[in-house]
Amino acid sequence: MYFVTEIDSDLYLGRELLFSKEKQVYFETVEAKLNQEFINVKAVKLSELYQGLKDENTNEVIRLSKYAKAYQHAIQTKYPNADVKNYEE
């Protein structure tokens, strides 16, 4: 089970630095909730998901954070058999 936290970016805007603690708390909270529902939750960035899932026919469960939900269609296209959904609180 994968939890996609965000896209990869080396560009940090002032706004990103300001909200980085808030994002970290959000990720930890969601990951804890997912761990209650699923076994072996892996919190990853988008590129780590693509590196970790080599088989495009995977039926893996993938949940997207509010920071990665814009990539739902792209992930569903790449992994058509996977269970890809945005995480809803």
Side-chain angles (χ1 to χ4, degrees), residues 19-32:
F19 293 113
S20 64
K21 180 64 176 171
E22 180 181 310
K23 285 171 68 173
Q24 187 61 36
V25 169
Y26 166 77
F27 294 147
E28 289 170 0
T29 302
V30 173
E31 188 174 1

Side-chain angles (χ1 to χ4, degrees), residues 42-78:
K42 298 175 193 130
V44 296
K45 292 186 177 183
L46 186 59
S47 67
E48 295 168 328
L49 175 73
Y50 290 155
Q51 291 171 359
L53 286 180
K54 304 288 187 206
D55 181 8
E56 293 184 359
N57 293 315
T58 185
N59 60 357
E60 190 73 54
V61 173
I62 302 169
R63 294 295 175 263
L64 308 175
S65 77
K66 63 184 179 182
Y67 301 102
K69 66 182 180 180
Y71 296 90
Q72 181 178 8
H73 181 72
I75 295 169
Q76 285 176 320
T77 300
K78 184 167 180 70

